[in-house]
Amino acid sequence: MIYTIGGIKGGSGKSTVATTLTVLLANSGRDVLFVDADDQGTATDFTHWRGETLNSTGFTAIKLSNTAVRTEVLKLKSKYDDIVIDTGGRDTASQRAAMTVADVYIVPFIPRSFDMWTLEQVSKLIEDMKLANPDLRCFAILNKTDSKGSDNNDAKEIILENGSFEYLDSPLGYRKAYANAAAQGLAVTEIKPRDPKAIAEVEQMLQQILSIK
Ligand SMILES: Nc1ncnc2c1ncn2[C@@H]1O[C@H](COP(=O)(O)OP(=O)(O)O)[C@@H](O)[C@H]1O
Ligand SMILES: [Mg+2]
């Protein structure tokens, strides 16, 4: 499967979802290509830190931009079980190119009203890209959630009402473990001390994503 992690807002958790998905797929024995399609290079930094922490990263990583995201991924896709593409925080040519080749598009949202304004813009982007890739499946995932209050349910309802997204039912809480793990090039499943809640929610995310047909 080809997964593009995107959206048009920085800091929503695209790279966190992309790196976590890449590591969990690789650790389950799949041959994964991780594509950094963000000029800021967060995915490339992550892979570099991972190499320093573990010696071997467990997946292949490349950096691509603009139309090369499409042409290179098309060339490489038969060589891998999965390709995960991390994109930048704006509506870029690279993100659009990634959406033309993806099977699945995953957009993290932080469930606070300000962030939800971007929902409308992302759904316009999806509408555009479905002209080129009508089979693209689009999912929203909540990130940096607060276990208290009704924010999550409110956000879920607004997302589903919008009509462009399916809902990935595995919200990721706001937890230090995510930032601590990323700084070492690791997923939350790989760090000590263990954060059982973070581990449970990323495993749930993986199961939800693997169940996409
Ligand atoms: N669920 C979370 N809990 C705590 N910190 C998070 C969480 N998700 C992301 N972060 C942190 O927030 C920052 C932005 O996340 P990142 O995944 O890089 O976003 P994006 O790629 O969308 O810009 C990073 O420092 C990251 O470690
Ligand atoms: Mg990023």
mmCIF file of all heavy atoms in Angstrom, residues 10-11 13-16 38 40 42-43 86-89, ligand 2:
data_model
loop_
_atom_site.group_PDB
_atom_site.id
_atom_site.type_symbol
_atom_site.label_atom_id
_atom_site.label_comp_id
_atom_site.label_asym_id
_atom_site.label_seq_id
_atom_site.Cartn_x
_atom_site.Cartn_y
_atom_site.Cartn_z
ATOM 1 N N GLY A 10 1.153 22.946 9.692
ATOM 2 C CA GLY A 10 2.358 22.469 10.369
ATOM 3 C C GLY A 10 2.047 22.107 11.810
ATOM 4 O O GLY A 10 1.151 22.696 12.415
ATOM 5 N N GLY A 11 2.748 21.136 12.331
ATOM 6 C CA GLY A 11 2.631 20.794 13.743
ATOM 7 C C GLY A 11 1.446 19.924 14.111
ATOM 8 O O GLY A 11 1.214 19.642 15.285
ATOM 9 N N GLY A 13 1.078 16.813 13.381
ATOM 10 C CA GLY A 13 1.511 15.442 13.687
ATOM 11 C C GLY A 13 1.756 14.581 12.462
ATOM 12 O O GLY A 13 1.841 13.355 12.573
ATOM 13 N N LYS A 14 1.897 15.203 11.298
ATOM 14 C CA LYS A 14 2.138 14.417 10.072
ATOM 15 C C LYS A 14 3.384 13.546 10.211
ATOM 16 O O LYS A 14 3.350 12.343 9.936
ATOM 17 C CB LYS A 14 2.296 15.349 8.856
ATOM 18 C CG LYS A 14 1.028 16.088 8.490
ATOM 19 C CD LYS A 14 1.247 17.020 7.303
ATOM 20 C CE LYS A 14 2.206 18.143 7.621
ATOM 21 N NZ LYS A 14 1.734 19.032 8.714
ATOM 22 N N SER A 15 4.492 14.171 10.615
ATOM 23 C CA SER A 15 5.738 13.403 10.690
ATOM 24 C C SER A 15 5.680 12.361 11.805
ATOM 25 O O SER A 15 6.257 11.280 11.671
ATOM 26 C CB SER A 15 6.932 14.336 10.891
ATOM 27 O OG SER A 15 7.045 15.200 9.770
ATOM 28 N N THR A 16 4.954 12.677 12.873
ATOM 29 C CA THR A 16 4.803 11.704 13.964
ATOM 30 C C THR A 16 4.036 10.476 13.475
ATOM 31 O O THR A 16 4.439 9.334 13.714
ATOM 32 C CB THR A 16 4.079 12.369 15.160
ATOM 33 O OG1 THR A 16 4.883 13.470 15.600
ATOM 34 C CG2 THR A 16 3.869 11.391 16.302
ATOM 35 N N ASP A 38 8.934 16.434 2.265
ATOM 36 C CA ASP A 38 8.852 17.747 2.911
ATOM 37 C C ASP A 38 10.229 18.392 2.854
ATOM 38 O O ASP A 38 11.213 17.802 3.308
ATOM 39 C CB ASP A 38 8.416 17.547 4.374
ATOM 40 C CG ASP A 38 8.364 18.871 5.152
ATOM 41 O OD1 ASP A 38 8.586 19.942 4.553
ATOM 42 O OD2 ASP A 38 8.109 18.810 6.370
ATOM 43 N N GLN A 40 11.464 20.516 4.639
ATOM 44 C CA GLN A 40 12.052 20.682 5.972
ATOM 45 C C GLN A 40 12.836 19.465 6.428
ATOM 46 O O GLN A 40 13.641 19.554 7.356
ATOM 47 C CB GLN A 40 10.970 21.015 6.992
ATOM 48 C CG GLN A 40 10.356 22.385 6.730
ATOM 49 C CD GLN A 40 9.652 22.935 7.949
ATOM 50 O OE1 GLN A 40 9.254 22.188 8.837
ATOM 51 N NE2 GLN A 40 9.496 24.246 7.977
ATOM 52 N N THR A 42 12.110 16.587 8.039
ATOM 53 C CA THR A 42 11.919 15.931 9.348
ATOM 54 C C THR A 42 12.094 14.412 9.258
ATOM 55 O O THR A 42 12.712 13.801 10.128
ATOM 56 C CB THR A 42 10.493 16.228 9.884
ATOM 57 O OG1 THR A 42 10.247 17.625 9.759
ATOM 58 C CG2 THR A 42 10.349 15.805 11.331
ATOM 59 N N ALA A 43 11.561 13.820 8.204
ATOM 60 C CA ALA A 43 11.650 12.363 8.060
ATOM 61 C C ALA A 43 13.101 11.928 7.850
ATOM 62 O O ALA A 43 13.535 10.892 8.376
ATOM 63 C CB ALA A 43 10.780 11.906 6.884
ATOM 64 N N ASP A 86 5.846 11.187 3.783
ATOM 65 C CA ASP A 86 5.615 12.301 4.715
ATOM 66 C C ASP A 86 5.675 13.607 3.926
ATOM 67 O O ASP A 86 6.622 13.841 3.167
ATOM 68 C CB ASP A 86 6.702 12.298 5.803
ATOM 69 C CG ASP A 86 6.452 13.341 6.888
ATOM 70 O OD1 ASP A 86 5.282 13.698 7.123
ATOM 71 O OD2 ASP A 86 7.439 13.797 7.509
ATOM 72 N N THR A 87 4.663 14.449 4.072
ATOM 73 C CA THR A 87 4.633 15.699 3.300
ATOM 74 C C THR A 87 4.706 16.912 4.232
ATOM 75 O O THR A 87 4.589 16.788 5.446
ATOM 76 C CB THR A 87 3.366 15.794 2.424
ATOM 77 O OG1 THR A 87 2.236 15.944 3.278
ATOM 78 C CG2 THR A 87 3.193 14.568 1.558
ATOM 79 N N GLY A 88 4.881 18.086 3.633
ATOM 80 C CA GLY A 88 5.070 19.312 4.421
ATOM 81 C C GLY A 88 3.753 19.952 4.838
ATOM 82 O O GLY A 88 2.677 19.504 4.473
ATOM 83 N N GLY A 89 3.870 21.040 5.572
ATOM 84 C CA GLY A 89 2.704 21.661 6.181
ATOM 85 C C GLY A 89 1.953 22.663 5.321
ATOM 86 O O GLY A 89 1.304 23.565 5.830
HETATM 87 MG MG MG B 2 6.437 17.171 9.428
#
